[in-house]
Coordinates of all heavy atoms in Angstrom, one line a residue:
M1 N 4.8 16.1 4.5 CA 3.3 16.3 4.6 C 2.6 15.7 3.4 O 3.1 15.9 2.3 CB 3.1 17.8 4.7 CG 1.7 18.3 4.9 SD 1.2 18.2 6.6 CE 1.8 19.7 7.3
A2 N 1.4 15.2 3.7 CA 0.6 14.6 2.6 C -0.8 14.8 3.0 O -1.2 14.7 4.1 CB 0.9 13.2 2.4
K3 N -1.6 15.2 1.9 CA -3.0 15.2 2.2 C -3.6 13.9 2.0 O -3.4 13.2 1.0 CB -3.7 16.3 1.3 CG -5.2 16.4 1.6 CD -5.8 17.7 1.0 CE -5.2 19.0 1.5 NZ -5.8 19.5 2.8
I4 N -4.4 13.4 2.9 CA -5.0 12.0 2.9 C -6.5 12.2 3.0 O -7.0 12.9 3.9 CB -4.4 11.1 4.0 CG1 -2.9 11.0 3.8 CG2 -5.1 9.8 4.0 CD1 -2.3 10.2 4.9
T5 N -7.2 11.5 2.1 CA -8.7 11.5 2.2 C -9.2 10.2 2.7 O -8.8 9.1 2.1 CB -9.3 11.8 0.8 OG1 -8.8 13.1 0.4 CG2 -10.8 11.8 0.9
F6 N -10.0 10.2 3.7 CA -10.6 9.0 4.3 C -12.0 9.1 3.8 O -12.7 10.1 3.9 CB -10.6 9.0 5.8 CG -9.2 8.9 6.4 CD1 -8.5 10.1 6.6 CD2 -8.7 7.8 6.8 CE1 -7.2 10.0 7.1 CE2 -7.4 7.6 7.4 CZ -6.6 8.8 7.5
V7 N -12.5 7.9 3.2 CA -13.9 7.9 2.8 C -14.6 6.9 3.7 O -14.3 5.7 3.6 CB -14.0 7.5 1.3 CG1 -15.4 7.5 0.8 CG2 -13.1 8.3 0.5
E8 N -15.6 7.4 4.4 CA -16.4 6.5 5.3 C -17.2 5.5 4.4 O -17.5 5.8 3.2 CB -17.4 7.3 6.1 CG -16.6 8.1 7.2 CD -17.7 8.8 8.1 OE1 -18.4 8.0 8.8 OE2 -17.8 10.0 8.1
F9 N -17.7 4.5 5.0 CA -18.5 3.5 4.2 C -19.7 4.1 3.6 O -20.1 3.8 2.4 CB -19.0 2.3 5.1 CG -19.6 1.2 4.3 CD1 -18.8 0.4 3.5 CD2 -20.9 1.0 4.3 CE1 -19.4 -0.6 2.8 CE2 -21.6 0.0 3.5 CZ -20.7 -0.8 2.8
D10 N -20.3 5.2 4.2 CA -21.5 5.8 3.6 C -21.1 6.9 2.6 O -21.9 7.6 2.0 CB -22.3 6.5 4.7 CG -21.7 7.7 5.4 OD1 -20.6 8.1 5.0 OD2 -22.3 8.3 6.3
G11 N -19.8 7.0 2.3 CA -19.3 7.9 1.2 C -18.8 9.3 1.7 O -18.3 10.2 1.0
T12 N -19.0 9.6 3.0 CA -18.6 10.9 3.6 C -17.1 10.9 3.6 O -16.3 10.0 4.0 CB -19.1 11.0 5.1 OG1 -20.5 10.7 5.1 CG2 -18.7 12.4 5.6
E13 N -16.5 12.1 3.0 CA -15.1 12.2 2.9 C -14.5 13.1 3.9 O -15.2 14.1 4.3 CB -14.8 12.7 1.5 CG -15.2 11.8 0.3 CD -14.6 12.3 -1.0 OE1 -13.9 13.3 -1.1 OE2 -14.9 11.6 -2.0
H14 N -13.3 12.8 4.4 CA -12.6 13.6 5.3 C -11.1 13.8 4.8 O -10.4 12.7 4.7 CB -12.5 12.9 6.7 CG -13.8 12.6 7.3 ND1 -14.5 13.5 8.1 CD2 -14.6 11.5 7.1 CE1 -15.7 12.9 8.4 NE2 -15.8 11.7 7.9
S15 N -10.7 15.0 4.4 CA -9.4 15.2 4.0 C -8.6 15.8 5.1 O -9.0 16.8 5.7 CB -9.4 16.1 2.8 OG -9.9 15.5 1.6
V16 N -7.4 15.2 5.4 CA -6.6 15.7 6.5 C -5.1 15.9 6.0 O -4.7 15.2 5.1 CB -6.6 14.7 7.7 CG1 -8.0 14.3 8.1 CG2 -5.8 13.4 7.4
D17 N -4.5 16.8 6.7 CA -3.0 16.9 6.4 C -2.3 16.0 7.4 O -2.5 16.1 8.6 CB -2.6 18.4 6.7 CG -3.1 19.3 5.6 OD1 -3.1 18.9 4.4 OD2 -3.5 20.5 5.9
A18 N -1.5 15.1 6.8 CA -0.7 14.2 7.7 C 0.7 14.5 7.7 O 1.3 14.8 6.6 CB -1.0 12.8 7.2
K19 N 1.4 14.5 8.8 CA 2.8 14.8 8.9 C 3.7 13.6 8.5 O 3.4 12.4 8.9 CB 3.2 15.2 10.3 CG 2.7 16.5 10.7 CD 3.4 16.9 12.1 CE 2.7 18.2 12.6 NZ 2.2 18.1 13.9
N20 N 4.7 13.9 7.8 CA 5.7 12.8 7.4 C 6.2 12.1 8.7 O 6.5 12.8 9.8 CB 6.9 13.4 6.7 CG 6.6 13.7 5.3 OD1 5.5 13.6 4.9 ND2 7.5 14.3 4.6
G21 N 6.3 10.8 8.7 CA 6.8 10.0 9.8 C 5.7 9.6 10.8 O 5.8 8.7 11.6
S22 N 4.5 10.3 10.7 CA 3.4 9.7 11.5 C 2.7 8.6 10.8 O 3.0 8.4 9.6 CB 2.4 10.8 11.8 OG 1.6 11.2 10.6
S23 N 1.8 7.9 11.3 CA 1.1 6.9 10.6 C -0.2 7.5 10.0 O -0.8 8.5 10.5 CB 0.7 5.7 11.5 OG -0.2 6.0 12.4
V24 N -0.8 6.8 9.1 CA -2.1 7.2 8.5 C -3.2 7.2 9.6 O -4.0 8.1 9.7 CB -2.4 6.3 7.3 CG1 -3.9 6.6 6.8 CG2 -1.5 6.6 6.2
M25 N -3.1 6.2 10.4 CA -4.0 6.1 11.6 C -3.9 7.3 12.5 O -4.9 7.9 12.9 CB -3.7 4.8 12.4 CG -4.5 4.6 13.7 SD -3.8 5.6 15.1 CE -2.6 4.4 15.7
E26 N -2.7 7.7 12.8 CA -2.5 8.8 13.8 C -3.1 10.1 13.1 O -3.7 11.0 13.8 CB -1.0 9.1 14.1 CG -0.5 8.0 15.0 CD 1.0 8.0 15.0 OE1 1.7 8.4 14.1 OE2 1.6 7.5 16.1
A27 N -3.0 10.3 11.8 CA -3.5 11.4 11.1 C -5.1 11.4 11.2 O -5.7 12.4 11.5 CB -3.1 11.4 9.7
A28 N -5.7 10.2 11.2 CA -7.1 10.1 11.3 C -7.6 10.5 12.7 O -8.5 11.1 12.9 CB -7.6 8.7 10.9
I29 N -6.8 9.9 13.7 CA -7.2 10.2 15.1 C -7.1 11.6 15.4 O -8.0 12.2 16.1 CB -6.3 9.3 16.0 CG1 -6.5 7.8 15.8 CG2 -6.4 9.8 17.5 CD1 -7.9 7.3 16.2
R30 N -6.0 12.3 15.0 CA -5.8 13.7 15.3 C -7.0 14.5 14.8 O -7.4 15.5 15.3 CB -4.5 14.1 14.6 CG -4.1 15.5 15.1 CD -2.7 15.9 14.7 NE -1.7 14.8 14.7 CZ -1.1 14.3 13.6 NH1 -1.4 14.7 12.4 NH2 -0.2 13.3 13.8
E31 N -7.6 14.1 13.6 CA -8.7 14.9 13.0 C -10.1 14.3 13.3 O -11.0 14.6 12.7 CB -8.5 15.0 11.5 CG -7.1 15.6 11.1 CD -7.1 17.1 11.4 OE1 -8.1 17.7 11.5 OE2 -6.0 17.6 11.6
N32 N -10.1 13.3 14.2 CA -11.4 12.7 14.6 C -12.2 12.1 13.5 O -13.4 12.3 13.4 CB -12.3 13.7 15.3 CG -11.7 14.2 16.7 OD1 -11.2 13.4 17.4 ND2 -11.7 15.5 16.9
V33 N -11.5 11.4 12.5 CA -12.1 10.8 11.5 C -13.0 9.6 12.1 O -12.4 8.7 12.7 CB -11.2 10.3 10.4 CG1 -11.8 9.4 9.4 CG2 -10.4 11.4 9.8
P34 N -14.3 9.6 11.8 CA -15.1 8.4 12.4 C -14.7 7.1 11.7 O -14.4 7.1 10.5 CB -16.5 8.8 12.1 CG -16.5 10.2 11.5 CD -15.0 10.5 11.1
G35 N -14.7 6.1 12.5 CA -14.5 4.7 11.9 C -13.1 4.2 12.0 O -12.8 3.0 11.8
I36 N -12.2 5.1 12.5 CA -10.8 4.6 12.8 C -10.7 4.7 14.3 O -10.5 5.8 14.9 CB -9.8 5.5 12.2 CG1 -9.8 5.6 10.6 CG2 -8.3 5.1 12.6 CD1 -9.3 4.4 9.9
D37 N -10.9 3.5 15.0 CA -11.0 3.5 16.4 C -9.6 3.3 17.0 O -9.3 3.9 18.0 CB -11.9 2.5 16.9 CG -13.3 2.8 16.7 OD1 -13.6 3.9 16.4 OD2 -14.2 1.8 16.8
A38 N -8.8 2.6 16.4 CA -7.3 2.3 16.8 C -7.3 1.9 18.2 O -6.5 2.5 19.0 CB -6.5 3.6 16.5
D39 N -8.0 0.9 18.6 CA -8.1 0.5 20.0 C -6.8 0.1 20.6 O -6.6 0.2 21.8 CB -9.0 -0.8 20.1 CG -10.5 -0.4 19.9 OD1 -10.8 0.8 20.0 OD2 -11.3 -1.3 19.6
C40 N -5.8 -0.4 19.8 CA -4.6 -0.8 20.4 C -3.5 0.3 20.3 O -2.3 0.0 20.7 CB -4.1 -2.1 19.7 SG -3.3 -1.8 18.0
G41 N -3.9 1.4 19.8 CA -3.0 2.6 19.8 C -1.8 2.4 18.8 O -0.8 3.1 18.9
G42 N -2.0 1.6 17.8 CA -1.0 1.5 16.8 C -0.1 0.3 16.9 O 1.0 0.3 16.3
A43 N -0.4 -0.6 17.7 CA 0.5 -1.7 18.0 C 0.3 -3.0 17.1 O 0.8 -4.0 17.3 CB 0.4 -2.2 19.5
C44 N -0.5 -2.7 16.0 CA -0.8 -3.8 15.1 C -1.5 -5.0 15.8 O -1.1 -6.1 15.5 CB 0.5 -4.2 14.4 SG 0.1 -5.2 12.9
A45 N -2.4 -4.7 16.7 CA -3.0 -5.8 17.5 C -4.5 -5.7 17.6 O -5.1 -6.4 18.4 CB -2.4 -5.8 18.9
C46 N -5.2 -4.8 16.8 CA -6.6 -4.8 16.9 C -7.4 -4.8 15.6 O -8.5 -5.2 15.6 CB -7.0 -3.5 17.8 SG -6.8 -2.0 16.8
A47 N -6.8 -4.3 14.6 CA -7.4 -4.2 13.3 C -8.6 -3.2 13.2 O -9.4 -3.3 12.2 CB -7.8 -5.5 12.7
T48 N -8.8 -2.3 14.2 CA -9.8 -1.4 14.1 C -9.4 -0.1 13.3 O -10.1 0.9 13.4 CB -10.3 -0.9 15.5 OG1 -9.2 -0.3 16.2 CG2 -10.9 -2.1 16.3
C49 N -8.3 -0.2 12.7 CA -7.8 0.9 11.8 C -7.7 0.4 10.3 O -7.0 1.0 9.6 CB -6.4 1.4 12.3 SG -5.1 0.1 12.1
H50 N -8.5 -0.7 10.1 CA -8.5 -1.3 8.8 C -9.0 -0.3 7.7 O -9.9 0.4 7.9 CB -9.4 -2.5 8.8 CG -9.6 -3.2 7.6 ND1 -10.6 -4.2 7.4 CD2 -8.9 -3.3 6.4 CE1 -10.5 -4.7 6.2 NE2 -9.5 -4.2 5.6
V51 N -8.2 -0.2 6.6 CA -8.7 0.6 5.5 C -8.4 -0.1 4.1 O -7.6 -1.0 4.1 CB -7.9 2.0 5.4 CG1 -8.2 2.9 6.6 CG2 -6.4 1.8 5.3
Y52 N -9.1 0.3 3.1 CA -8.8 -0.1 1.7 C -8.1 0.9 1.0 O -8.5 2.1 0.9 CB -10.1 -0.5 1.0 CG -11.0 -1.5 1.7 CD1 -12.3 -1.1 2.0 CD2 -10.5 -2.8 1.9 CE1 -13.1 -2.1 2.7 CE2 -11.4 -3.7 2.5 CZ -12.7 -3.3 2.9 OH -13.5 -4.3 3.4
V53 N -6.9 0.6 0.6 CA -6.1 1.6 -0.2 C -6.5 1.7 -1.6 O -6.7 0.7 -2.3 CB -4.6 1.2 -0.2 CG1 -3.7 2.1 -1.0 CG2 -4.0 1.1 1.3
D54 N -6.7 3.0 -2.0 CA -7.1 3.2 -3.4 C -6.2 2.6 -4.4 O -4.9 2.6 -4.2 CB -7.2 4.8 -3.7 CG -7.8 5.0 -5.1 OD1 -9.0 5.0 -5.2 OD2 -7.0 5.2 -6.0
N55 N -6.7 1.9 -5.4 CA -5.8 1.1 -6.4 C -4.6 2.0 -6.9 O -3.6 1.4 -7.1 CB -6.6 0.6 -7.4 CG -7.5 -0.7 -7.0 OD1 -7.1 -1.3 -6.0 ND2 -8.6 -0.9 -7.6
S56 N -4.8 3.2 -7.1 CA -3.8 4.0 -7.7 C -2.6 4.2 -6.7 O -1.5 4.7 -7.2 CB -4.3 5.4 -8.2 OG -4.9 6.1 -7.0
F57 N -2.7 3.9 -5.5 CA -1.7 4.1 -4.5 C -1.1 2.7 -4.0 O -0.3 2.8 -3.1 CB -2.2 4.9 -3.3 CG -2.1 6.4 -3.6 CD1 -3.2 7.0 -4.2 CD2 -1.0 7.1 -3.3 CE1 -3.1 8.4 -4.5 CE2 -0.9 8.4 -3.5 CZ -2.0 9.1 -4.2
I58 N -1.6 1.6 -4.5 CA -1.2 0.3 -3.9 C 0.4 0.2 -3.9 O 0.9 -0.2 -3.0 CB -1.8 -0.8 -4.8 CG1 -3.3 -0.9 -4.5 CG2 -1.1 -2.1 -4.5 CD1 -3.7 -1.5 -3.2
E59 N 1.0 0.6 -5.1 CA 2.4 0.4 -5.1 C 3.2 1.3 -4.2 O 4.1 0.9 -3.5 CB 2.9 0.6 -6.6 CG 2.6 -0.6 -7.5 CD 3.3 -0.5 -8.8 OE1 4.3 0.2 -9.0 OE2 2.7 -1.1 -9.7
K60 N 2.7 2.5 -4.1 CA 3.4 3.5 -3.3 C 3.3 3.1 -1.8 O 4.2 3.2 -1.0 CB 2.8 4.9 -3.4 CG 3.3 5.6 -4.7 CD 2.7 7.0 -4.8 CE 3.1 7.6 -6.1 NZ 2.3 8.7 -6.5
V61 N 2.1 2.6 -1.4 CA 1.9 2.2 0.0 C 2.6 0.9 0.4 O 3.1 0.7 1.4 CB 0.3 2.1 0.3 CG1 0.1 1.4 1.6 CG2 -0.3 3.5 0.2
G62 N 2.6 0.0 -0.6 CA 3.4 -1.2 -0.4 C 2.5 -2.3 0.3 O 1.3 -2.1 0.6
A63 N 3.1 -3.4 0.4 CA 2.4 -4.6 1.0 C 2.6 -4.6 2.5 O 3.5 -4.1 3.0 CB 2.9 -5.9 0.3
P64 N 1.6 -5.3 3.2 CA 1.8 -5.5 4.7 C 2.9 -6.4 5.0 O 3.3 -7.3 4.2 CB 0.5 -6.1 5.1 CG -0.2 -6.5 3.8 CD 0.4 -5.9 2.7
N65 N 3.6 -6.1 6.1 CA 4.6 -7.1 6.6 C 3.9 -8.3 7.2 O 2.7 -8.3 7.3 CB 5.7 -6.4 7.5 CG 5.0 -6.0 8.8 OD1 3.9 -6.4 9.2 ND2 5.7 -5.0 9.5
D66 N 4.7 -9.3 7.6 CA 4.2 -10.5 8.1 C 3.3 -10.3 9.3 O 2.2 -10.9 9.5 CB 5.3 -11.5 8.6 CG 6.0 -12.0 7.3 OD1 5.5 -11.8 6.2 OD2 7.0 -12.7 7.5
M67 N 3.7 -9.4 10.3 CA 2.9 -9.2 11.5 C 1.6 -8.6 11.1 O 0.5 -9.0 11.6 CB 3.6 -8.2 12.5 CG 3.0 -8.1 13.8 SD 4.0 -7.2 15.0 CE 3.8 -5.6 14.4
E68 N 1.6 -7.6 10.3 CA 0.3 -7.0 9.8 C -0.6 -8.0 9.1 O -1.8 -8.0 9.3 CB 0.6 -5.7 8.9 CG -0.6 -5.1 8.5 CD -0.3 -3.9 7.6 OE1 0.9 -3.5 7.5 OE2 -1.3 -3.4 6.9
Q69 N 0.0 -8.8 8.3 CA -0.7 -9.7 7.4 C -1.5 -10.7 8.4 O -2.6 -11.1 8.2 CB 0.2 -10.5 6.5 CG -0.6 -11.4 5.5 CD -1.7 -10.6 4.7 OE1 -1.4 -9.7 4.0 NE2 -2.9 -11.0 4.8
S70 N -0.7 -11.2 9.5 CA -1.4 -12.1 10.4 C -2.5 -11.4 11.1 O -3.6 -12.1 11.4 CB -0.4 -12.7 11.4 OG 0.8 -12.2 11.4
M71 N -2.4 -10.2 11.4 CA -3.6 -9.5 12.0 C -4.7 -9.3 11.0 O -5.9 -9.5 11.4 CB -3.1 -8.0 12.5 CG -3.9 -7.4 13.5 SD -3.9 -8.3 15.0 CE -5.7 -8.3 15.3
L72 N -4.4 -9.0 9.8 CA -5.5 -8.9 8.8 C -6.2 -10.2 8.5 O -7.3 -10.3 8.2 CB -4.8 -8.4 7.4 CG -4.5 -6.9 7.3 CD1 -3.7 -6.7 6.1 CD2 -5.9 -6.2 7.2
D73 N -5.5 -11.3 8.8 CA -6.1 -12.6 8.6 C -7.3 -12.8 9.5 O -8.2 -13.6 9.2 CB -5.1 -13.8 8.9 CG -4.1 -13.9 7.8 OD1 -4.3 -13.3 6.6 OD2 -3.0 -14.5 8.0
F74 N -7.3 -12.0 10.6 CA -8.5 -12.1 11.6 C -9.5 -11.0 11.4 O -10.4 -10.9 12.1 CB -8.0 -12.1 13.0 CG -7.2 -13.4 13.4 CD1 -5.8 -13.4 13.3 CD2 -7.8 -14.5 13.6 CE1 -5.0 -14.5 13.7 CE2 -7.1 -15.7 13.9 CZ -5.8 -15.7 13.9
A75 N -9.2 -10.0 10.5 CA -10.1 -8.9 10.4 C -11.3 -9.3 9.4 O -11.2 -10.3 8.8 CB -9.3 -7.7 9.8
E76 N -12.3 -8.4 9.5 CA -13.5 -8.7 8.7 C -13.4 -8.0 7.3 O -12.7 -7.0 7.2 CB -14.7 -8.1 9.4 CG -15.2 -8.9 10.6 CD -16.4 -8.2 11.2 OE1 -17.4 -8.1 10.5 OE2 -16.3 -7.9 12.4
N77 N -14.0 -8.6 6.3 CA -14.1 -8.0 5.0 C -12.8 -7.6 4.4 O -12.6 -6.5 3.8 CB -15.0 -6.7 5.1 CG -16.3 -6.9 5.7 OD1 -16.7 -6.4 6.8 ND2 -17.1 -7.8 5.2
V78 N -11.8 -8.4 4.5 CA -10.4 -8.1 4.1 C -10.4 -8.3 2.5 O -11.0 -9.3 2.0 CB -9.4 -9.1 4.7 CG1 -8.0 -8.9 4.0 CG2 -9.3 -8.7 6.2
E79 N -9.8 -7.3 1.8 CA -9.7 -7.4 0.4 C -8.2 -7.4 0.1 O -7.4 -7.1 0.9 CB -10.4 -6.2 -0.3 CG -11.8 -6.0 0.1 CD -12.8 -7.1 -0.6 OE1 -12.3 -7.8 -1.5 OE2 -13.9 -7.1 -0.2
S80 N -7.9 -7.5 -1.2 CA -6.5 -7.5 -1.7 C -5.8 -6.1 -1.4 O -4.6 -6.1 -1.3 CB -6.4 -7.9 -3.1 OG -7.1 -6.9 -3.9
N81 N -6.6 -5.1 -1.3 CA -6.0 -3.8 -1.0 C -6.2 -3.4 0.5 O -6.1 -2.2 0.8 CB -6.6 -2.7 -1.9 CG -8.1 -2.6 -1.8 OD1 -8.7 -3.5 -1.3 ND2 -8.7 -1.5 -2.2
S82 N -6.4 -4.3 1.3 CA -6.6 -4.0 2.8 C -5.2 -3.7 3.4 O -4.3 -4.4 3.1 CB -7.2 -5.2 3.5 OG -8.6 -5.3 3.2
R83 N -5.2 -2.7 4.2 CA -4.1 -2.4 5.0 C -4.5 -2.0 6.5 O -5.6 -1.5 6.6 CB -3.2 -1.3 4.5 CG -2.4 -1.7 3.2 CD -1.3 -2.7 3.5 NE -0.4 -2.4 4.6 CZ 0.7 -1.7 4.5 NH1 1.1 -1.3 3.3 NH2 1.4 -1.4 5.5
L84 N -3.6 -2.1 7.4 CA -3.9 -1.5 8.7 C -3.3 -0.1 8.7 O -2.0 0.0 8.5 CB -3.3 -2.4 9.9 CG -4.0 -3.8 9.9 CD1 -3.4 -4.6 11.1 CD2 -5.5 -3.7 10.2
S85 N -4.1 0.9 8.9 CA -3.6 2.3 8.6 C -2.5 2.7 9.7 O -1.7 3.6 9.4 CB -4.7 3.3 8.6 OG -5.4 3.3 9.8
C86 N -2.4 2.0 10.9 CA -1.4 2.3 11.8 C 0.0 1.8 11.3 O 1.0 2.2 11.9 CB -1.6 1.7 13.2 SG -1.6 -0.1 13.3
Q87 N 0.0 1.0 10.2 CA 1.3 0.4 9.7 C 1.7 1.1 8.4 O 2.6 0.7 7.8 CB 1.1 -1.1 9.5 CG 0.7 -1.8 10.8 CD 1.8 -1.6 11.9 OE1 2.9 -1.9 11.7 NE2 1.3 -1.2 13.1
I88 N 1.0 2.2 8.0 CA 1.4 2.9 6.8 C 2.0 4.3 7.3 O 1.3 5.1 8.0 CB 0.2 3.3 6.0 CG1 -0.6 2.0 5.6 CG2 0.6 4.0 4.7 CD1 -1.9 2.2 4.8
T89 N 3.2 4.4 7.0 CA 4.0 5.7 7.4 C 3.8 6.7 6.3 O 4.0 6.5 5.1 CB 5.5 5.3 7.6 OG1 5.6 4.3 8.6 CG2 6.2 6.6 8.1
V90 N 3.4 8.0 6.8 CA 3.2 9.0 5.9 C 4.6 9.5 5.3 O 5.5 9.8 6.1 CB 2.5 10.2 6.6 CG1 2.3 11.4 5.7 CG2 1.1 9.7 7.1
K91 N 4.6 9.7 4.0 CA 5.7 10.3 3.3 C 5.2 11.3 2.3 O 4.0 11.1 1.9 CB 6.6 9.3 2.6 CG 7.1 8.2 3.5 CD 8.0 7.2 2.7 CE 8.0 5.9 3.4 NZ 7.5 4.8 2.6
D92 N 6.0 12.1 1.7 CA 5.6 13.1 0.7 C 4.9 12.3 -0.5 O 4.0 12.9 -1.1 CB 6.8 13.9 0.1 CG 7.2 15.0 1.1 OD1 6.4 15.3 2.0 OD2 8.3 15.4 1.1
N93 N 5.4 11.2 -0.8 CA 4.9 10.5 -2.0 C 3.5 10.0 -1.8 O 2.9 9.4 -2.8 CB 5.8 9.4 -2.5 CG 5.8 8.2 -1.7 OD1 5.4 8.2 -0.6 ND2 6.4 7.1 -2.2
L94 N 2.9 10.1 -0.6 CA 1.6 9.7 -0.4 C 0.6 10.8 -0.6 O -0.6 10.7 -0.3 CB 1.4 9.0 1.0 CG 2.1 7.7 1.2 CD1 1.8 7.1 2.5 CD2 1.9 6.7 0.1
E95 N 1.1 12.0 -1.1 CA 0.2 13.1 -1.3 C -1.0 12.7 -2.1 O -0.8 12.1 -3.2 CB 1.0 14.3 -2.0 CG 0.1 15.4 -2.5 CD -0.6 16.2 -1.4 OE1 0.0 16.2 -0.2 OE2 -1.6 16.8 -1.6
G96 N -2.2 13.0 -1.6 CA -3.4 12.6 -2.4 C -3.9 11.2 -2.1 O -4.9 10.8 -2.8
L97 N -3.3 10.5 -1.2 CA -3.8 9.2 -0.9 C -5.3 9.2 -0.5 O -5.7 10.0 0.3 CB -3.0 8.6 0.3 CG -3.4 7.3 0.9 CD1 -3.2 6.2 -0.1 CD2 -2.6 7.0 2.1
V98 N -6.0 8.1 -1.0 CA -7.4 8.0 -0.7 C -7.5 6.6 -0.1 O -7.0 5.6 -0.6 CB -8.3 8.0 -2.0 CG1 -9.7 7.7 -1.6 CG2 -8.2 9.4 -2.6
V99 N -8.1 6.5 1.1 CA -8.3 5.2 1.7 C -9.8 5.1 2.1 O -10.5 6.1 2.5 CB -7.5 4.9 3.0 CG1 -6.0 4.9 2.6 CG2 -7.7 6.0 4.1
R100 N -10.4 3.9 1.9 CA -11.8 3.8 2.2 C -12.0 2.9 3.4 O -11.2 2.0 3.7 CB -12.5 3.2 1.0 CG -12.5 4.1 -0.1 CD -13.3 3.6 -1.4 NE -13.3 4.6 -2.4 CZ -12.3 4.9 -3.2 NH1 -11.1 4.3 -3.1 NH2 -12.3 6.0 -4.1
L101 N -13.1 3.1 4.1 CA -13.2 2.3 5.4 C -14.3 1.2 5.1 O -15.2 1.4 4.4 CB -13.8 3.2 6.5 CG -12.8 4.0 7.3 CD1 -11.9 4.9 6.4 CD2 -13.4 4.8 8.4
P102 N -14.0 0.0 5.8 CA -14.9 -1.1 5.6 C -16.2 -0.9 6.2 O -16.4 -0.1 7.2 CB -14.2 -2.3 6.2 CG -13.2 -1.6 7.1 CD -12.9 -0.3 6.6
E103 N -17.3 -1.6 5.8 CA -18.6 -1.5 6.4 C -18.6 -1.7 7.9 O -19.3 -1.1 8.7 CB -19.5 -2.5 5.7 CG -21.0 -2.4 6.1 CD -22.0 -3.2 5.3 OE1 -21.4 -4.2 4.6 OE2 -23.1 -3.1 5.5
S104 N -17.8 -2.6 8.3 CA -17.8 -3.0 9.8 C -17.3 -1.8 10.7 O -17.5 -1.8 11.9 CB -16.9 -4.2 10.0 OG -15.6 -4.0 9.5
Q105 N -16.7 -0.8 10.0 CA -16.2 0.4 10.7 C -17.1 1.6 10.4 O -16.7 2.8 10.6 CB -14.8 0.7 10.4 CG -13.8 -0.3 11.1 CD -12.4 -0.4 10.5 OE1 -11.9 -1.4 10.1 NE2 -11.8 0.8 10.3
G106 N -18.3 1.3 9.9 CA -19.2 2.4 9.5 C -20.0 3.0 10.6 O -19.9 2.5 11.8
Ligands
LIG201 S1 -4.4 0.6 15.7 FE1 -4.7 -1.4 16.2 S2 -4.0 -2.5 14.5 FE2 -3.8 -0.4 13.9

C-alpha cells in the first residue's frame, strides 16, 4: 500500500491509497481523480494517463520501457519525468509519491 498524491494542472491535490500490484492509473480511476481518463484501460495505447513524476521519486519509479517510450513519443507536453501511470506498478517504496498532470489533461 502506498499513498499517492495526484496534482491537477490547476494545483488541486488528490491523495489516494493505492494497493501494491495495482497501477498508479488504476488507483486514480478507483478514486475518480480528474484528468486521468485511461481510455485504453491500461494497455499502453492512449497516453491519457500521462503524469509527471516528482523529481524525488524518479529513481524509485524508474524509466519507461520501450513500448511506453514509443507511446510517450506521441503524447503532448512530454518532459524528462513523464510516465504513463498505467505502466507504474504500486509498491511500498512508492509511499508518498507525487505525480502532476499535464495541462492537456486539465
Ligand atoms: S491508460 Fe492508456 S496508455 Fe495508460
Side-chain angles (χ1 to χ4, degrees):
M1 183 82 84
K3 185 162 295 281
I4 298 176
T5 300
F6 296 84
V7 184
E8 292 185 66
F9 188 73
D10 69 3
T12 308
E13 296 189 2
H14 305 267
S15 287
V16 309
D17 288 323
K19 288 191 187 124
N20 287 359
S22 72
S23 71
V24 170
M25 172 279 277
E26 287 167 334
I29 295 295
R30 196 175 311 116
E31 301 292 334
N32 296 315
V33 174
I36 300 282
D37 289 345
D39 289 341
C40 77
C44 197
C46 72
T48 60
C49 66
H50 179 193
V51 296
Y52 302 120
V53 174
D54 188 83
N55 285 333
S56 60
F57 277 88
I58 289 284
E59 281 188 25
K60 284 182 187 164
V61 168
N65 65 19
D66 288 350
M67 185 170 79
E68 180 182 347
Q69 188 57 57
S70 6
M71 200 62 227
L72 280 169
D73 288 344
F74 292 100
E76 287 181 55
N77 309 118
V78 172
E79 305 284 352
S80 58
N81 59 343
S82 286
R83 289 292 312 266
L84 297 179
S85 58
C86 68
Q87 302 301 304
I88 304 173
T89 303
V90 176
K91 301 182 205 121
D92 285 339
N93 73 343
L94 294 188
E95 171 64 29
L97 173 66
V98 176
V99 296
R100 295 180 174 79
L101 274 60
E103 183 172 13
S104 53
Q105 288 161 229

